[in-house]
Amino acid sequence: AVVSTQSTGRDRVETPEDQTQPDVAAMRTRAGSEMDAFNKSVFPEGYQLPEACKKVDYKPIIRKVESRAREGTLNKLPVSDLKLYAKGVKLGLKSTAKKAELVEAISKFIG
């Protein structure tokens, strides 16, 4: 950011607008009834999204892992909990990370 402001002669760098996410509110305003009709024609009455499509609530796992980190017992948690925590806080670890790597990265992250 420093190089950018110096090279452009501006005092601050403008934050670009994220245009990769759809504007759901605008879509609903313009095509709400068509979207509802499509959903009714494709999905049966009472259809529930599969678990894999639902948004994950990371808050409980974050609290659990951080509590165990304070206790010094991270290595007693299952790998699945450690991986879910790493994903929830966006540690950027590979899905193939071993337990020791997860524990080390999480410990460093939490401090």
Side-chain angles (χ1 to χ4, degrees):
V2 173
V3 173
S4 179
T5 58
Q6 290 174 350
S7 64
T8 61
R10 297 180 185 166
D11 292 337
R12 65 179 184 88
V13 177
E14 295 175 14
T15 304
E17 179 185 346
D18 181 6
Q19 297 181 350
T20 60
Q21 297 296 318
D23 185 350
V24 178
M27 290 169 52
R28 173 95 13 226
T29 300
R30 296 184 73 195
S33 59
E34 289 87 357
M35 291 167 54
D36 291 338
F38 172 79
N39 287 336
K40 285 180 184 176
S41 70
V42 174
F43 301 111
E45 189 71 31
Y47 177 78
Q48 296 292 318
L49 284 173
E51 286 299 317
C53 297
K54 293 182 181 176
K55 188 173 180 175
V56 176
D57 180 12
Y58 292 103
K59 291 175 190 167
I61 196 69
I62 289 172
R63 282 193 298 271
K64 178 180 178 180
V65 170
E66 290 178 352
S67 171
R68 290 292 185 93
R70 285 190 295 275
E71 296 168 4
T73 58
L74 270 180
N75 59 340
K76 293 187 178 184
L77 287 172
V79 173
S80 58
D81 285 357
L82 299 173
K83 285 186 176 187
L84 195 57
Y85 177 85
K87 186 175 181 181
V89 297
K90 297 177 176 62
L91 285 182
L93 297 173
K94 293 183 179 181
S95 63
T96 58
K98 303 291 183 215
K99 187 171 189 172
E101 295 171 291
L102 290 162
V103 169
E104 182 181 346
I106 292 169
S107 295
K108 285 182 181 178
F109 178 76
I110 293 173

